[in-house]
């Protein structure tokens, strides 16, 4: 496996961070050393992180090796999806970006390139959570 056939990228979502490696192969996805269907508890999460590959028609072209840390399954899925998107953009960097079939145009229209910046709001003093006030008692 030579270095020029590996494309790496990082994706983040909520508290999760995913390091993604794209290697030319058969479409096998490994997360933290385990198969994706063994690691993720719900098939909808697997479908969600496969969206960039399906949109560009690369479901069976790459083997994907992922190391993900932090957060829950939903955040990890979003981080992996962003990492896969960024790695695909690196793979397609040499093609003309003005063409209609460039990965950048395809992924941008579907909204995969933008990082979802929503994170948990911090707790404020005097409140039970970020915005939840204690119950009012008249007496």
């Amino acid at each position: 496996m030579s270095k020029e056939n590996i494309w790496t990228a990082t994706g983040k979502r909520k508290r999760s961070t995913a390091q993604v490696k794209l290697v030319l192969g058969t479409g096998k996805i490994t997360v933290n050393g385990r198969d994706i269907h063994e690691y993720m508890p719900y098939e909808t999460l697997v479908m969600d992180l496969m969206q960039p590959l399906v949109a560009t028609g690369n479901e069976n072209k790459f083997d994907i090796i992922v190391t993900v840390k932090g957060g829950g399954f939903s955040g990890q899925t979003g981080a992996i999806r962003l990492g896969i998107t960024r790695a695909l953009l690196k793979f397609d960097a040499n093609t003309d970006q003005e063409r209609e079939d460039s990965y950048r145009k395809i992924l941008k229209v579907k909204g995969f390139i933008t990082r979802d910046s929503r994170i948990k709001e911090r707790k404020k003093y005097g409140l039970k959570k970020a915005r939840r006030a204690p119950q009012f008692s008249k007496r």
Side-chain angles (χ1 to χ4, degrees):
M1 197 167 31
S2 64
K3 285 278 186 192
E4 62 263 1
N5 288 339
I6 300 174
W7 297 272
T8 60
T10 303
K12 293 183 178 184
R13 168 88 167 90
K14 293 186 176 181
R15 294 268 180 197
S16 302
T17 305
Q19 294 285 342
V20 178
K21 287 183 188 176
L22 250 60
V23 183
L24 292 175
T26 59
K28 186 175 179 227
I29 301 177
T30 310
V31 179
N32 292 347
R34 293 162 54 190
D35 182 60
I36 187 68
H37 298 287
E38 183 184 322
Y39 185 81
M40 290 287 172
Y42 308 112
E43 193 62 32
T44 54
L45 295 176
V46 176
M47 287 171 30
D48 190 36
L49 69 85
M50 292 280 290
Q51 285 177 333
L53 296 170
V54 173
T56 55
N58 290 317
E59 302 96 344
N60 299 320
K61 187 173 180 179
F62 296 106
D63 286 343
I64 301 172
I65 301 149
V66 180
T67 306
V68 66
K69 294 179 183 173
F73 288 116
S74 177
Q76 288 183 355
T77 301
I80 294 169
R81 185 171 87 172
L82 183 61
I84 290 172
T85 301
R86 288 178 173 172
L88 283 170
L89 291 176
K90 284 185 181 179
F91 168 74
D92 195 48
N94 295 333
T95 61
D96 182 23
Q97 299 301 315
E98 297 301 317
R99 290 179 24 193
E100 289 300 316
D101 62 340
S102 73
Y103 287 178
R104 181 156 191 86
K105 282 205 173 180
I106 294 168
L107 295 170
K108 184 76 172 170
V109 168
K110 300 210 180 235
F112 297 143
I113 294 176
T114 308
R115 185 208 190 278
D116 190 348
S117 61
R118 294 175 296 171
I119 58 170
K120 186 172 181 178
E121 191 175 337
R122 78 169 203 87
K123 182 192 177 300
K124 279 73 167 193
Y125 58 86
L127 302 178
K128 291 187 176 285
K129 291 173 34 179
R131 299 183 182 201
R132 171 75 172 102
Q135 185 172 3
F136 175 74
S137 174
K138 205 172 207 177
R139 288 172 192 84

